[in-house]
Amino acid sequence: MSSSNYLSVKALTKYLKRKFDADPHLRDVYVTGELSNVKIHSSGHIYFTLKDDSSRINATMFRNQAAKLSFKPEEGMKVFIRGDVNIYEASGAYQLYAQTMEPDGIGGLFVAFNQLKERLEKEGLFNPNFKQPIPQYPKTIGVLTATTGAAIRDICTTITRRYPQVEILIYPTLVQGSGAAPNISENIYLANRQALCDVLIVGRGGGSIEDLWAFNEEIVARAIFESRIPIISAVGHETDTTIADFVADLRAPTPTAAAELAVPNQQELFQRILQKQTFMHQVMTSRLNFERSRLTKLQNSYPLATPERLYRPFIERLAQVDANLQNATKLYLLNQQAKLQSVDSKMKLFSPQHQLQAAKQQLQHTNNQLHRAMKQQLAQNKLAFQNQVRMLEALNPLALMSKGFSVAYKDQNVVKSVHELKKGDVVNMTFQDGFAEAKIVKTHVQKEGEAK
């Protein structure tokens, strides 16, 4: 055979793929088996092997179909799969393309419920330590449920009947269908933001597991767990249990029971108050009787019967102390008065006014002494002056000149001796009333014993 008679691998694979495509039995197959090698890709596609005791087949579930699963496929899980069988040309292997998948024996919702319950329990969302106490006497109760169902009517009727003082704030909520879970969680967050309620009732009436499934969604569970307002779950009937019941701060078997748990019974409160009132009246009556008996006993006791005898020694002691106090006060005042007078005298002695007066007196005394000294000094100076005047007058050459004497000057010097002159000298002659120039024509020295 020539090489042209051989098929390529690609051509053979395409041929087989067309055979698979043409076979109507492979377009819609129902297969059951055990999951193995389960790989959930980040893209959302699920790759796994479906096997039984003797065979296995590779299988794929694409993202669009995988997103519809209510549970997470796990290793070893027995499942029912509906899909088609075809060839993957890249590997040439045939594989099962799953369209739907259901767990074997139990429903997918139940598996999803258990898986979510197990995961949230590990995270601690069911931990009793995180449960918030329900207010005993709430003022406002928020109700998150459908406004058209019987649950809202049962809740409002029960609350109004039991505790009409409370205000009911209704948050119309979608509780069934694909948009129910987001709507429930949004209203829980809204109620927390508004912070108008003391407690929230979240729930709805009974139904199938599909009808109640919104309360098994993770976003609802997390919204309940994060709520700062205590939440009472009221989903379905007593036999219905949802994830919301595990997370809620208090689980009520029915919406009506939730209303009963949310508020006290007014009649019971009245009865309790009446019992408390009766008990308090009895206690007060008993206490009053006891106190009256005690008062009578005290009034008849010796100290209260003659109280003056009790305080008489104190009165005497008080009188003695008072007298001592008065004497001590007087003595103290006298001492203080003496000290005050002493201080006052010192203050007057050293006061500026007194110092000024003393200084004035000293100044006046000094002034008088100075005045007397000046007068005495003036008198002495006057007498000395007069003596000097008389002496000057006696020695005054002018006075001598008035008697006819004159003074000769040579070269501005008084001529005191004839020896200072010689013939021809010119001298100035000063007289009492003027002066004249004279020329020496002859000198004569007076001899001893010669008359002048």
Side-chain angles (χ1 to χ4, degrees):
M1 295 181 65
S2 64
S3 60
S4 60
N5 294 327
Y6 291 89
L7 294 175
S8 65
V9 176
K10 180 179 180 181
L12 179 59
T13 302
K14 284 186 173 292
Y15 174 78
L16 292 175
K17 180 173 174 54
R18 283 197 296 271
K19 288 293 185 181
F20 274 80
D21 292 337
D23 189 339
H25 299 290
L26 297 178
R27 294 176 185 172
D28 190 16
V29 297
Y30 294 80
V31 187
T32 181
E34 180 181 322
L35 296 178
S36 178
N37 299 325
V38 178
K39 296 178 182 177
I40 301 177
H41 197 269
S42 58
S43 62
H45 306 323
I46 302 175
Y47 303 97
F48 57 95
T49 300
L50 190 66
K51 66 180 183 178
D52 55 18
D53 295 337
S54 57
S55 300
R56 59 180 58 204
I57 182 174
N58 293 330
T60 301
M61 175 175 269
F62 292 117
R63 179 178 56 193
N64 292 339
Q65 288 74 30
K68 298 177 182 178
L69 293 178
S70 58
F71 66 99
K72 179 183 178 183
E74 295 178 348
E75 195 79 12
M77 183 180 291
K78 291 185 177 181
V79 295
F80 294 106
I81 292 180
R82 179 186 178 187
D84 62 282
V85 179
N86 212 320
I87 288 182
Y88 181 51
E89 294 183 52
S91 62
Y94 75 93
Q95 61 181 5
L96 175 64
Y97 294 92
Q99 299 295 326
T100 63
M101 182 186 297
E102 288 292 336
D104 183 11
I106 54 177
L109 293 179
F110 184 74
V111 174
F113 174 86
N114 286 331
Q115 289 177 341
L116 180 60
K117 178 175 177 290
E118 181 181 0
R119 182 158 54 88
L120 296 182
E121 187 173 16
K122 289 181 180 178
E123 292 184 18
L125 269 69
F126 306 157
N127 192 332
N129 295 330
F130 296 138
K131 305 292 185 186
Q132 303 180 86
I134 306 300
Q136 191 172 4
Y137 304 104
K139 296 180 179 178
T140 304
I141 295 178
V143 180
L144 278 69
T145 190
T147 56
T148 56
I152 184 65
R153 184 176 63 254
D154 296 340
I155 292 173
C156 293
T157 302
T158 304
I159 291 177
T160 304
R161 173 176 52 80
R162 288 174 57 87
Y163 197 65
Q165 296 87 344
V166 75
E167 182 181 355
I168 301 174
L169 185 59
I170 298 174
Y171 292 87
T173 305
L174 189 63
V175 294
Q176 183 176 337
S178 58
N183 190 231
I184 294 171
S185 60
E186 288 172 3
N187 281 345
I188 292 175
Y189 290 126
L190 174 63
N192 277 271
R193 288 195 300 271
Q194 293 178 342
L196 300 175
C197 304
D198 302 311
V199 63
L200 295 177
I201 296 176
V202 181
R204 53 154 291 160
S208 64
I209 186 172
E210 289 80 5
D211 296 337
L212 307 180
W213 190 250
F215 295 91
N216 290 321
E217 295 285 354
E218 184 174 352
I219 58 173
V220 175
R222 296 198 180 278
I224 294 174
F225 182 76
E226 294 171 4
S227 174
R228 297 186 302 276
I229 303 174
I231 292 180
I232 301 175
S233 66
V235 183
H237 301 298
E238 186 169 0
T239 55
D240 298 323
T241 302
T242 63
I243 297 295
D245 295 328
F246 292 105
V247 185
D249 299 292
L250 181 64
R251 187 245 176 183
T254 62
T256 302
E260 294 176 348
L261 294 172
V263 295
N265 189 327
Q266 181 177 249
Q267 297 301 324
E268 293 178 357
L269 289 178
F270 288 156
Q271 187 65 29
R272 195 181 306 169
I273 291 172
L274 183 59
Q275 292 175 354
K276 292 286 186 183
Q277 185 177 11
T278 303
F279 175 74
M280 291 179 64
H281 183 267
Q282 293 174 350
V283 171
M284 291 302 295
T285 302
S286 176
R287 184 64 181 269
L288 285 173
N289 292 333
F290 173 76
E291 295 297 338
R292 285 196 187 98
S293 174
R294 185 163 169 261
L295 177 61
T296 303
K297 186 177 180 180
L298 291 174
Q299 287 175 340
N300 295 329
S301 63
Y302 172 77
L304 294 180
T306 55
E308 67 278 2
R309 294 185 181 180
L310 294 176
Y311 54 76
R312 184 181 299 165
F314 297 100
I315 293 176
E316 293 174 353
R317 184 179 176 186
L318 176 62
Q320 183 64 34
V321 171
D322 183 63
N324 294 338
L325 179 61
Q326 290 183 4
N327 293 332
T329 303
K330 289 179 181 178
L331 181 60
Y332 176 77
L333 290 177
L334 289 175
N335 291 334
Q336 294 300 317
Q337 189 174 4
K339 291 182 181 178
L340 179 62
Q341 290 177 352
S342 176
V343 172
D344 184 62
S345 300
K346 291 181 180 178
M347 290 184 65
K348 288 180 178 178
L349 181 60
F350 294 101
S351 69
Q353 186 176 4
H354 181 77
Q355 295 290 329
L356 180 61
Q357 186 65 29
K360 285 182 178 179
Q361 292 178 357
Q362 182 65 29
L363 178 61
Q364 185 63 34
H365 177 70
T366 304
N367 190 28
N368 293 335
Q369 287 182 338
L370 182 60
H371 186 69
R372 286 194 299 271
M374 288 182 65
K375 288 178 66 178
Q376 186 176 0
Q377 185 67 34
L378 285 175
Q380 290 178 357
N381 292 340
K382 184 177 180 181
L383 179 60
F385 178 73
Q386 290 174 352
N387 292 334
Q388 291 293 331
V389 169
R390 281 194 296 269
M391 186 175 64
L392 288 175
E393 287 178 350
L395 298 177
N396 187 4
L398 296 178
L400 293 176
M401 293 175 69
S402 64
K403 294 179 179 180
F405 293 97
S406 61
V407 180
Y409 294 89
K410 178 184 178 182
D411 298 330
Q412 302 297 327
N413 296 318
V414 176
V415 179
K416 298 179 180 179
S417 175
V418 70
H419 296 288
E420 298 176 2
L421 299 175
K422 64 182 183 289
K423 185 180 177 181
D425 289 341
V426 178
V427 295
N428 291 321
M429 302 296 293
T430 302
F431 301 93
Q432 179 184 3
D433 52 355
F435 65 89
E437 289 183 355
K439 188 174 181 178
I440 303 300
V441 293
K442 183 181 179 182
T443 60
H444 175 77
V445 178
Q446 186 178 2
K447 297 180 180 176
E448 187 176 355
E450 185 180 3
K452 294 181 180 180

